[in-house]
Amino acid sequence: MAEALPPSALIGWLGFWGRSVRRYLARLGKPAEVAAGTMGVPRLASGVCAGGGSAGWLWMGSCTLGSPGLPVSFLFWLLLATPGSWAAGYKTCPTVKPGMLNVHLLPHTHDDVGWLKTVDQYYYGILNDIQHASVQNILDSVIPSLLEDPTRRFIYVEMAFFSRWWKQQTNAKQDIVRKLVRQGRLEFVNGGWVMNDEGATHYGAIVDQMTLGLRFLQDTFGSNGRPRVAWHIDPFGHSREQASLFAQMGFDGFFLGRIDYQDKFLRKEKLKMEEVWRASASLKPPIADLFTGVLPNNYDPPKNLCWDVLCEDRPIMEDPESPEYNAVALVSDFLQLASLQVTQQQYYRTNHTVMTMGSDFHYENANMWFKNMDKLIRLVNKQQQAEGSKVHVLYSTPTCYLWELNKANLTWSVKEDDFFPYADGPHMFWTGYFSSRPALKRYERLSYNFLQVCNQLETLAGPAANVGPYGTGDSAPLKEAMAVLQHHDAVTGTARQNVVNDYARQLAAGWRPCEVLVSNALARLSFYKQNFSFCRELNISICPVSQNSDQFQVTVYNPLGRKVHQMVRLPVSEGIFFVEDPNGKTVPSNVVMLPSSYSKKYRWELVFSASVPALGFSIYSVVKVTVHNSQAQSLQASPRRPRSYILAIENEYIRATFDSETGLLMKIENMEQNLSLPVSQGFFWYKASTGDEESTQASGAYIFRPSHPKPLLVSRWARIHQVKTALVQEVHQNFSAWCSQVVRLYPGQHHLELEWTVGPIPVRDNLGKEVISRFNTPMKTNGQFYTDSNGREILKRRRDHRPTWRLNQTEPVAGNYYPVNTRIYISDGHMQLTVVTDRSQGGSSLKDGSLELMVHRRLLVDDERGLLEPLMDSGTGKIVRGRHLVLLSSVTDAAERHRLLVEKEVLSPQVVLAQGDGSPYYSRAAPRMQFSGLRQDLPPQVHLLTLARWGPKMVLLRLEHQFAVKEDSRGNLSSPVTLNLQNLFQAFTITHLMETTLAANQPLSRASRLKWITNTGPIHYPAPSKLDPTSVTLQPMEIRTFVARVQWQELRPARRRG
């Protein structure tokens, strides 16, 4: 039952902004240490307090504290909002002049969190011979410049840098900055840890990095620091899901820098530089609607108006006696430029326009910028009186510009597609980065998986996860490292090699304290301390514990909200092994001999099936009983070139047949649904262009440009090797010295697994190569194919087509590539072929019935987008191993199959090994060999997106409906689903529940966004419904976010007998 808390206790459990509460209590005439009241907390039927149901300011919750009129949710909000919280935002915007052209100057800096230099090098200003940039100097310079004139404004974006700078400031300097923020003179836009990429990022990682940055702002500045505007001025294309997420986070608008050059030209002609983006086909408007504007000059200053130490433009000279006098000419140029943007009515629709005054790492000497902008503003506005000019220029911010657009009360057109692919000129498609540095992309995806495991176990085990027998565990370093990896030059693979190495170093450093945390948590939850080992090199069959031990235990943790069956594969030494399940029963297992390996030492793999409960673990015991394994030996077939015979692998659902002459896949059958499809799969490579007569553009880290539209085969045939046991069937294909694949099928599996290994790509012939896996079928697909948007909703693509503008196609291959975060598929209306990926890749369907995915690329020249380095991927990135999961199914159940398969692939079980004897966690406690953190499995529609600690007694919970409207035509998976959160978790009890926006930085009941009129008709704005924890309903594609106060259950281990 929920307990009645005094306000002083509430301060403790929320853990931040305690001073704000005390000030509020003082105004009520109450001391900060209020004694517990005599009035109990009213209970819902569930016994769980719920906040945030009512639209009222004071009465937002149903849980009243001991002091009258002071509900829990009100104090929760009070802690999220410092005094004067409503001063910032739109109310601090500068005054504009009606009837005039108002030019909003937006002073800003764009600070890449790694690119040509590492994060630390950028922050401290190291290696300025590579790029002159020092973020700490920028912030040190901007603050005193803002103090010189109250009209000056500045915006900042990247919390990875700002939070570091903030911690290094004195209390006095921090108070000054808080005042600037409260007055709206220093404004935060976007507010994520980084400005994330939108093509190679998974939506879960986007949400995490935005939450991290926005929480820092909320903790530091309260609601004064909450951004109203999303600001993605440099990402290389824009996804629909990104806009949907921003809308659900409570943003009022979204400003973009880069869109396709053809698209931008037509938008200017049609007055569509600003629209409302309807970013979901499932969520009812305006849930995913977001006003979106395209900036006029990407994010750079206008010509001749760049006054930074990195610029060469002349400063404004006002002295008419000086031979350098240029004030009149500059003012004249400015007035002409402003008129071109608006008064011609070509680009924008209101009497307001923006000019971005800054660029990459600008404002290291902020005085240079502000001194010249002061002069520009004074001189231009002086023309109003002297010559009747109708131009008014002012310091402003994106938020204040958006506010003026909203007040114009215009009707706006609606956009429903995305902004991919992006090209900045003919033959210049930025579709290469979808696949650049595939090893880093995989490491990032694995780290997302492990971070969720770390977060969940930190929550399930409670404080014991952070301090325990293995030391101090901490999830924060991995959270920050993962947030950094979402930067638009990180996961994209578009940074220099040494910077990529540093990104990998940050991830590795983040894994270590999480491994300690996971060890502490598993010991507490299993009541047993063991010598845990995390085998990070299982993908290349290296794990010392399993290879060198005759006896060990395997803990398999399942981060999904449903029970899973997982095939566990571990490298072992030669021999026969027995495997016991958590109940001591022997489970079937096989030892298979690898047909080839990096070392003769690692030749054997133990395979067994593990059953793991929802949000929990199962512990399996492995014992080696003999040294020799004649059975496994006999399974090895000697490698050979194919001969004429039938070669197939199959289980009860799927059969894959291979051409006996070539060794290549030739047919897939879904025997359950009586479907058969000829499918030929092979590896090809595009010869990378280094420039030609049509264009000097070359393929590089960003740009994909093949020299010819037809790729070359790696090999027309494969040397094959077949493995068949009761637990796995495999065909090993060797195409060349640098390209091989294992086609694999397990019992009970509805998909075919293709595990490919590519690299090092040979370049001694001086040819850059871009390697693809291609699937060809006879399906009639009418030029259409489908890709996911950041791993969530699905978008239809058409070859050589853009939904909202006519494309002049200059690159038939690169211009048809799209980001594939988790899946791509084709359909003929009867059956569907889906390929699920294990990382972000570029993909397309260049002819009917065909699918291709780029798996690796190695290039010899730079593409002239600033990197100044060819994409060679040195070190471990040269050789890449990955998986494609291939599904053949009817269209009626395809969504069910690919949705659930992707969920399991992204959050696959975590395997932890332990060698030797352990010891009880509690005195005389028997080990717990199996555990679930849930009292019952979640329905298949529901995905547990986030379960993480939010404070000493607080938990962040996100639940999502993972099916789209009308997506599941066979069953009811596209229907709303209702959950009871009261008894959902076994490890803790929820005593208070507050629903928040997606990034958890404001209660949902208090969140309000600007309303926009669209040309699609009126929009219904429903009143907030009262939150009932016993009945939480999820609509298709809806994510609901909660901050909960919890009480951990006391563990009661069984005692050992005797």
Side-chain angles (χ1 to χ4, degrees), residues 641-676:
R641 183 167 178 166
R643 298 191 302 270
S644 295
Y645 67 100
I646 297 176
L647 177 62
I649 57 176
E650 65 181 281
N651 63 13
E652 61 268 43
Y653 302 116
I654 300 292
R655 178 187 295 123
T657 306
F658 297 79
D659 188 314
S660 62
E661 294 295 325
T662 65
L664 304 182
L665 178 68
M666 60 180 287
K667 184 169 64 174
I668 300 176
E669 296 169 84
N670 180 332
M671 296 180 289
E672 183 184 24
Q673 297 178 334
N674 198 28
L675 300 175
S676 178

mmCIF file of all heavy atoms in Angstrom, residues 641-676:
data_model
loop_
_atom_site.group_PDB
_atom_site.id
_atom_site.type_symbol
_atom_site.label_atom_id
_atom_site.label_comp_id
_atom_site.label_asym_id
_atom_site.label_seq_id
_atom_site.Cartn_x
_atom_site.Cartn_y
_atom_site.Cartn_z
ATOM 1 N N ARG A 641 34.536 -28.732 -53.456
ATOM 2 C CA ARG A 641 33.704 -28.048 -54.433
ATOM 3 C C ARG A 641 32.449 -28.887 -54.640
ATOM 4 O O ARG A 641 32.495 -30.121 -54.616
ATOM 5 C CB ARG A 641 34.460 -27.899 -55.756
ATOM 6 C CG ARG A 641 33.643 -27.127 -56.786
ATOM 7 C CD ARG A 641 34.466 -26.689 -57.967
ATOM 8 N NE ARG A 641 33.623 -25.996 -58.934
ATOM 9 C CZ ARG A 641 34.096 -25.274 -59.934
ATOM 10 N NH1 ARG A 641 35.399 -25.136 -60.078
ATOM 11 N NH2 ARG A 641 33.283 -24.682 -60.776
ATOM 12 N N PRO A 642 31.298 -28.261 -54.818
ATOM 13 C CA PRO A 642 30.038 -29.002 -54.907
ATOM 14 C C PRO A 642 30.020 -30.018 -56.046
ATOM 15 O O PRO A 642 30.605 -29.799 -57.088
ATOM 16 C CB PRO A 642 29.002 -27.901 -55.146
ATOM 17 C CG PRO A 642 29.679 -26.624 -54.793
ATOM 18 C CD PRO A 642 31.125 -26.832 -54.945
ATOM 19 N N ARG A 643 29.339 -31.110 -55.783
ATOM 20 C CA ARG A 643 29.072 -32.091 -56.819
ATOM 21 C C ARG A 643 27.563 -32.152 -57.015
ATOM 22 O O ARG A 643 26.808 -31.506 -56.318
ATOM 23 C CB ARG A 643 29.613 -33.463 -56.405
ATOM 24 C CG ARG A 643 31.120 -33.499 -56.194
ATOM 25 C CD ARG A 643 31.612 -34.941 -56.048
ATOM 26 N NE ARG A 643 30.945 -35.615 -54.936
ATOM 27 C CZ ARG A 643 31.418 -35.611 -53.696
ATOM 28 N NH1 ARG A 643 32.539 -34.952 -53.409
ATOM 29 N NH2 ARG A 643 30.780 -36.255 -52.741
ATOM 30 N N SER A 644 27.122 -32.925 -57.965
ATOM 31 C CA SER A 644 25.693 -33.019 -58.259
ATOM 32 C C SER A 644 25.002 -33.908 -57.229
ATOM 33 O O SER A 644 25.048 -35.137 -57.321
ATOM 34 C CB SER A 644 25.480 -33.576 -59.674
ATOM 35 O OG SER A 644 25.980 -32.687 -60.626
ATOM 36 N N TYR A 645 24.388 -33.312 -56.268
ATOM 37 C CA TYR A 645 23.574 -34.044 -55.302
ATOM 38 C C TYR A 645 22.645 -33.029 -54.629
ATOM 39 O O TYR A 645 22.869 -31.823 -54.678
ATOM 40 C CB TYR A 645 24.444 -34.767 -54.272
ATOM 41 C CG TYR A 645 25.214 -33.859 -53.348
ATOM 42 C CD1 TYR A 645 24.760 -33.591 -52.060
ATOM 43 C CD2 TYR A 645 26.413 -33.267 -53.774
ATOM 44 C CE1 TYR A 645 25.475 -32.760 -51.219
ATOM 45 C CE2 TYR A 645 27.123 -32.441 -52.938
ATOM 46 C CZ TYR A 645 26.658 -32.177 -51.663
ATOM 47 O OH TYR A 645 27.349 -31.355 -50.829
ATOM 48 N N ILE A 646 21.585 -33.509 -54.014
ATOM 49 C CA ILE A 646 20.627 -32.625 -53.347
ATOM 50 C C ILE A 646 21.197 -32.213 -52.006
ATOM 51 O O ILE A 646 21.569 -33.058 -51.193
ATOM 52 C CB ILE A 646 19.269 -33.321 -53.173
ATOM 53 C CG1 ILE A 646 18.660 -33.631 -54.554
ATOM 54 C CG2 ILE A 646 18.328 -32.443 -52.352
ATOM 55 C CD1 ILE A 646 17.369 -34.402 -54.467
ATOM 56 N N LEU A 647 21.249 -30.932 -51.794
ATOM 57 C CA LEU A 647 21.770 -30.395 -50.556
ATOM 58 C C LEU A 647 20.691 -29.525 -49.920
ATOM 59 O O LEU A 647 20.238 -28.540 -50.529
ATOM 60 C CB LEU A 647 23.038 -29.568 -50.824
ATOM 61 C CG LEU A 647 23.676 -28.879 -49.622
ATOM 62 C CD1 LEU A 647 24.141 -29.912 -48.596
ATOM 63 C CD2 LEU A 647 24.861 -28.032 -50.089
ATOM 64 N N ALA A 648 20.253 -29.882 -48.733
ATOM 65 C CA ALA A 648 19.187 -29.122 -48.076
ATOM 66 C C ALA A 648 19.346 -29.217 -46.570
ATOM 67 O O ALA A 648 19.915 -30.192 -46.043
ATOM 68 C CB ALA A 648 17.812 -29.632 -48.498
ATOM 69 N N ILE A 649 18.867 -28.217 -45.875
ATOM 70 C CA ILE A 649 18.728 -28.258 -44.430
ATOM 71 C C ILE A 649 17.277 -27.920 -44.115
ATOM 72 O O ILE A 649 16.648 -27.128 -44.820
ATOM 73 C CB ILE A 649 19.701 -27.273 -43.720
ATOM 74 C CG1 ILE A 649 19.492 -25.844 -44.213
ATOM 75 C CG2 ILE A 649 21.136 -27.716 -43.910
ATOM 76 C CD1 ILE A 649 20.351 -24.809 -43.467
ATOM 77 N N GLU A 650 16.738 -28.520 -43.060
ATOM 78 C CA GLU A 650 15.334 -28.274 -42.768
ATOM 79 C C GLU A 650 15.026 -28.585 -41.311
ATOM 80 O O GLU A 650 15.743 -29.321 -40.638
ATOM 81 C CB GLU A 650 14.436 -29.108 -43.671
ATOM 82 C CG GLU A 650 14.548 -30.613 -43.477
ATOM 83 C CD GLU A 650 13.631 -31.368 -44.428
ATOM 84 O OE1 GLU A 650 12.420 -31.428 -44.131
ATOM 85 O OE2 GLU A 650 14.136 -31.869 -45.448
ATOM 86 N N ASN A 651 13.931 -27.976 -40.834
ATOM 87 C CA ASN A 651 13.318 -28.343 -39.562
ATOM 88 C C ASN A 651 11.828 -28.528 -39.804
ATOM 89 O O ASN A 651 11.410 -28.711 -40.964
ATOM 90 C CB ASN A 651 13.618 -27.289 -38.477
ATOM 91 C CG ASN A 651 13.024 -25.919 -38.797
ATOM 92 O OD1 ASN A 651 12.184 -25.775 -39.703
ATOM 93 N ND2 ASN A 651 13.444 -24.911 -38.066
ATOM 94 N N GLU A 652 11.023 -28.461 -38.764
ATOM 95 C CA GLU A 652 9.596 -28.715 -38.947
ATOM 96 C C GLU A 652 8.872 -27.603 -39.686
ATOM 97 O O GLU A 652 7.731 -27.784 -40.128
ATOM 98 C CB GLU A 652 8.931 -28.981 -37.584
ATOM 99 C CG GLU A 652 9.015 -27.824 -36.599
ATOM 100 C CD GLU A 652 10.232 -27.897 -35.695
ATOM 101 O OE1 GLU A 652 11.343 -28.209 -36.195
ATOM 102 O OE2 GLU A 652 10.068 -27.635 -34.493
ATOM 103 N N TYR A 653 9.529 -26.421 -39.854
ATOM 104 C CA TYR A 653 8.860 -25.278 -40.486
ATOM 105 C C TYR A 653 9.505 -24.838 -41.792
ATOM 106 O O TYR A 653 8.821 -24.384 -42.707
ATOM 107 C CB TYR A 653 8.856 -24.078 -39.528
ATOM 108 C CG TYR A 653 8.197 -24.352 -38.206
ATOM 109 C CD1 TYR A 653 8.925 -24.312 -37.023
ATOM 110 C CD2 TYR A 653 6.841 -24.647 -38.133
ATOM 111 C CE1 TYR A 653 8.322 -24.555 -35.798
ATOM 112 C CE2 TYR A 653 6.227 -24.896 -36.918
ATOM 113 C CZ TYR A 653 6.971 -24.851 -35.750
ATOM 114 O OH TYR A 653 6.370 -25.102 -34.539
ATOM 115 N N ILE A 654 10.825 -24.933 -41.879
ATOM 116 C CA ILE A 654 11.561 -24.321 -42.984
ATOM 117 C C ILE A 654 12.466 -25.343 -43.657
ATOM 118 O O ILE A 654 13.073 -26.192 -42.991
ATOM 119 C CB ILE A 654 12.433 -23.144 -42.468
ATOM 120 C CG1 ILE A 654 11.569 -22.063 -41.820
ATOM 121 C CG2 ILE A 654 13.276 -22.551 -43.599
ATOM 122 C CD1 ILE A 654 10.671 -21.323 -42.778
ATOM 123 N N ARG A 655 12.537 -25.267 -44.974
ATOM 124 C CA ARG A 655 13.525 -26.042 -45.717
ATOM 125 C C ARG A 655 14.276 -25.083 -46.641
ATOM 126 O O ARG A 655 13.664 -24.262 -47.338
ATOM 127 C CB ARG A 655 12.874 -27.133 -46.556
ATOM 128 C CG ARG A 655 13.895 -27.941 -47.387
ATOM 129 C CD ARG A 655 13.246 -28.922 -48.343
ATOM 130 N NE ARG A 655 12.524 -29.980 -47.635
ATOM 131 C CZ ARG A 655 11.238 -30.244 -47.796
ATOM 132 N NH1 ARG A 655 10.510 -29.516 -48.634
ATOM 133 N NH2 ARG A 655 10.667 -31.221 -47.113
ATOM 134 N N ALA A 656 15.602 -25.172 -46.627
ATOM 135 C CA ALA A 656 16.441 -24.375 -47.520
ATOM 136 C C ALA A 656 17.207 -25.334 -48.423
ATOM 137 O O ALA A 656 17.884 -26.248 -47.940
ATOM 138 C CB ALA A 656 17.407 -23.506 -46.722
ATOM 139 N N THR A 657 17.087 -25.137 -49.724
ATOM 140 C CA THR A 657 17.734 -26.014 -50.700
ATOM 141 C C THR A 657 18.840 -25.249 -51.425
ATOM 142 O O THR A 657 18.668 -24.068 -51.760
ATOM 143 C CB THR A 657 16.712 -26.533 -51.726
ATOM 144 O OG1 THR A 657 15.621 -27.137 -51.030
ATOM 145 C CG2 THR A 657 17.343 -27.553 -52.661
ATOM 146 N N PHE A 658 19.947 -25.938 -51.673
ATOM 147 C CA PHE A 658 21.113 -25.323 -52.282
ATOM 148 C C PHE A 658 21.407 -25.962 -53.631
ATOM 149 O O PHE A 658 21.168 -27.156 -53.827
ATOM 150 C CB PHE A 658 22.330 -25.459 -51.361
ATOM 151 C CG PHE A 658 22.173 -24.757 -50.049
ATOM 152 C CD1 PHE A 658 21.417 -25.327 -49.020
ATOM 153 C CD2 PHE A 658 22.747 -23.518 -49.819
ATOM 154 C CE1 PHE A 658 21.244 -24.686 -47.808
ATOM 155 C CE2 PHE A 658 22.595 -22.866 -48.616
ATOM 156 C CZ PHE A 658 21.837 -23.451 -47.601
ATOM 157 N N ASP A 659 21.920 -25.162 -54.535
ATOM 158 C CA ASP A 659 22.306 -25.662 -55.846
ATOM 159 C C ASP A 659 23.527 -26.562 -55.684
ATOM 160 O O ASP A 659 24.578 -26.123 -55.194
ATOM 161 C CB ASP A 659 22.632 -24.470 -56.759
ATOM 162 C CG ASP A 659 22.855 -24.895 -58.208
ATOM 163 O OD1 ASP A 659 23.582 -25.876 -58.422
ATOM 164 O OD2 ASP A 659 22.318 -24.225 -59.092
ATOM 165 N N SER A 660 23.405 -27.787 -56.110
ATOM 166 C CA SER A 660 24.498 -28.743 -55.902
ATOM 167 C C SER A 660 25.703 -28.435 -56.781
ATOM 168 O O SER A 660 26.812 -28.904 -56.506
ATOM 169 C CB SER A 660 24.005 -30.172 -56.178
ATOM 170 O OG SER A 660 23.582 -30.295 -57.528
ATOM 171 N N GLU A 661 25.515 -27.648 -57.842
ATOM 172 C CA GLU A 661 26.632 -27.295 -58.711
ATOM 173 C C GLU A 661 27.415 -26.103 -58.177
ATOM 174 O O GLU A 661 28.639 -26.066 -58.264
ATOM 175 C CB GLU A 661 26.118 -26.980 -60.126
ATOM 176 C CG GLU A 661 25.519 -28.169 -60.851
ATOM 177 C CD GLU A 661 26.561 -29.242 -61.124
ATOM 178 O OE1 GLU A 661 27.724 -28.877 -61.377
ATOM 179 O OE2 GLU A 661 26.209 -30.435 -61.072
ATOM 180 N N THR A 662 26.699 -25.131 -57.644
ATOM 181 C CA THR A 662 27.364 -23.891 -57.214
ATOM 182 C C THR A 662 27.525 -23.786 -55.707
ATOM 183 O O THR A 662 28.337 -22.999 -55.224
ATOM 184 C CB THR A 662 26.566 -22.661 -57.694
ATOM 185 O OG1 THR A 662 25.285 -22.658 -57.041
ATOM 186 C CG2 THR A 662 26.376 -22.692 -59.200
ATOM 187 N N GLY A 663 26.743 -24.545 -54.951
ATOM 188 C CA GLY A 663 26.766 -24.417 -53.499
ATOM 189 C C GLY A 663 25.991 -23.228 -52.983
ATOM 190 O O GLY A 663 26.010 -22.935 -51.780
ATOM 191 N N LEU A 664 25.269 -22.526 -53.860
ATOM 192 C CA LEU A 664 24.529 -21.328 -53.468
ATOM 193 C C LEU A 664 23.090 -21.673 -53.100
ATOM 194 O O LEU A 664 22.496 -22.629 -53.609
ATOM 195 C CB LEU A 664 24.523 -20.305 -54.605
ATOM 196 C CG LEU A 664 25.889 -19.862 -55.137
ATOM 197 C CD1 LEU A 664 25.709 -18.817 -56.232
ATOM 198 C CD2 LEU A 664 26.762 -19.325 -54.015
ATOM 199 N N LEU A 665 22.519 -20.888 -52.220
ATOM 200 C CA LEU A 665 21.108 -21.032 -51.861
ATOM 201 C C LEU A 665 20.254 -20.859 -53.109
ATOM 202 O O LEU A 665 20.488 -19.949 -53.915
ATOM 203 C CB LEU A 665 20.738 -19.973 -50.817
ATOM 204 C CG LEU A 665 19.282 -19.947 -50.344
ATOM 205 C CD1 LEU A 665 18.944 -21.197 -49.538
ATOM 206 C CD2 LEU A 665 19.034 -18.692 -49.493
ATOM 207 N N MET A 666 19.252 -21.714 -53.276
ATOM 208 C CA MET A 666 18.409 -21.614 -54.465
ATOM 209 C C MET A 666 16.912 -21.606 -54.160
ATOM 210 O O MET A 666 16.121 -21.152 -54.988
ATOM 211 C CB MET A 666 18.706 -22.761 -55.432
ATOM 212 C CG MET A 666 18.476 -24.151 -54.866
ATOM 213 S SD MET A 666 18.838 -25.467 -56.064
ATOM 214 C CE MET A 666 17.453 -25.305 -57.177
ATOM 215 N N LYS A 667 16.502 -22.063 -52.971
ATOM 216 C CA LYS A 667 15.060 -22.087 -52.693
ATOM 217 C C LYS A 667 14.823 -22.107 -51.193
ATOM 218 O O LYS A 667 15.563 -22.736 -50.440
ATOM 219 C CB LYS A 667 14.401 -23.303 -53.344
ATOM 220 C CG LYS A 667 12.882 -23.341 -53.178
ATOM 221 C CD LYS A 667 12.229 -24.408 -54.051
ATOM 222 C CE LYS A 667 12.650 -25.814 -53.684
ATOM 223 N NZ LYS A 667 11.896 -26.842 -54.443
ATOM 224 N N ILE A 668 13.786 -21.394 -50.754
ATOM 225 C CA ILE A 668 13.322 -21.442 -49.373
ATOM 226 C C ILE A 668 11.862 -21.872 -49.380
ATOM 227 O O ILE A 668 11.054 -21.353 -50.162
ATOM 228 C CB ILE A 668 13.459 -20.072 -48.676
ATOM 229 C CG1 ILE A 668 14.917 -19.606 -48.662
ATOM 230 C CG2 ILE A 668 12.917 -20.132 -47.250
ATOM 231 C CD1 ILE A 668 15.107 -18.211 -48.069
ATOM 232 N N GLU A 669 11.511 -22.810 -48.499
ATOM 233 C CA GLU A 669 10.128 -23.266 -48.378
ATOM 234 C C GLU A 669 9.640 -23.070 -46.960
ATOM 235 O O GLU A 669 10.346 -23.402 -45.997
ATOM 236 C CB GLU A 669 10.032 -24.756 -48.741
ATOM 237 C CG GLU A 669 10.396 -25.065 -50.173
ATOM 238 C CD GLU A 669 10.540 -26.558 -50.403
ATOM 239 O OE1 GLU A 669 9.505 -27.225 -50.635
ATOM 240 O OE2 GLU A 669 11.694 -27.050 -50.328
ATOM 241 N N ASN A 670 8.460 -22.518 -46.846
ATOM 242 C CA ASN A 670 7.758 -22.438 -45.573
ATOM 243 C C ASN A 670 6.753 -23.580 -45.571
ATOM 244 O O ASN A 670 5.672 -23.472 -46.158
ATOM 245 C CB ASN A 670 7.062 -21.079 -45.424
ATOM 246 C CG ASN A 670 6.301 -20.932 -44.124
ATOM 247 O OD1 ASN A 670 5.837 -21.909 -43.541
ATOM 248 N ND2 ASN A 670 6.147 -19.693 -43.664
ATOM 249 N N MET A 671 7.128 -24.693 -44.968
ATOM 250 C CA MET A 671 6.293 -25.895 -45.030
ATOM 251 C C MET A 671 5.035 -25.758 -44.185
ATOM 252 O O MET A 671 4.020 -26.410 -44.468
ATOM 253 C CB MET A 671 7.121 -27.103 -44.597
ATOM 254 C CG MET A 671 8.291 -27.375 -45.549
ATOM 255 S SD MET A 671 9.292 -28.806 -45.074
ATOM 256 C CE MET A 671 10.103 -28.180 -43.614
ATOM 257 N N GLU A 672 5.082 -24.919 -43.173
ATOM 258 C CA GLU A 672 3.911 -24.701 -42.333
ATOM 259 C C GLU A 672 2.783 -24.050 -43.109
ATOM 260 O O GLU A 672 1.608 -24.367 -42.920
ATOM 261 C CB GLU A 672 4.307 -23.839 -41.130
ATOM 262 C CG GLU A 672 3.186 -23.597 -40.134
ATOM 263 C CD GLU A 672 3.616 -22.655 -39.021
ATOM 264 O OE1 GLU A 672 4.551 -21.857 -39.235
ATOM 265 O OE2 GLU A 672 3.007 -22.714 -37.944
ATOM 266 N N GLN A 673 3.135 -23.129 -44.015
ATOM 267 C CA GLN A 673 2.128 -22.398 -44.785
ATOM 268 C C GLN A 673 2.106 -22.799 -46.255
ATOM 269 O O GLN A 673 1.432 -22.165 -47.065
ATOM 270 C CB GLN A 673 2.390 -20.895 -44.662
ATOM 271 C CG GLN A 673 2.264 -20.375 -43.228
ATOM 272 C CD GLN A 673 2.575 -18.891 -43.116
ATOM 273 O OE1 GLN A 673 3.310 -18.338 -43.933
ATOM 274 N NE2 GLN A 673 2.009 -18.246 -42.118
ATOM 275 N N ASN A 674 2.862 -23.848 -46.594
ATOM 276 C CA ASN A 674 2.893 -24.361 -47.965
ATOM 277 C C ASN A 674 3.318 -23.279 -48.955
ATOM 278 O O ASN A 674 2.718 -23.105 -50.012
ATOM 279 C CB ASN A 674 1.523 -24.945 -48.360
ATOM 280 C CG ASN A 674 1.626 -25.850 -49.575
ATOM 281 O OD1 ASN A 674 2.671 -26.454 -49.834
ATOM 282 N ND2 ASN A 674 0.542 -25.939 -50.331
ATOM 283 N N LEU A 675 4.373 -22.555 -48.609
ATOM 284 C CA LEU A 675 4.916 -21.519 -49.483
ATOM 285 C C LEU A 675 6.282 -21.968 -49.979
ATOM 286 O O LEU A 675 7.078 -22.538 -49.232
ATOM 287 C CB LEU A 675 5.072 -20.198 -48.729
ATOM 288 C CG LEU A 675 3.808 -19.571 -48.144
ATOM 289 C CD1 LEU A 675 4.168 -18.327 -47.326
ATOM 290 C CD2 LEU A 675 2.821 -19.210 -49.254
ATOM 291 N N SER A 676 6.553 -21.719 -51.255
ATOM 292 C CA SER A 676 7.839 -22.054 -51.841
ATOM 293 C C SER A 676 8.294 -20.891 -52.707
ATOM 294 O O SER A 676 7.527 -20.380 -53.528
ATOM 295 C CB SER A 676 7.737 -23.334 -52.683
ATOM 296 O OG SER A 676 8.977 -23.633 -53.280
#
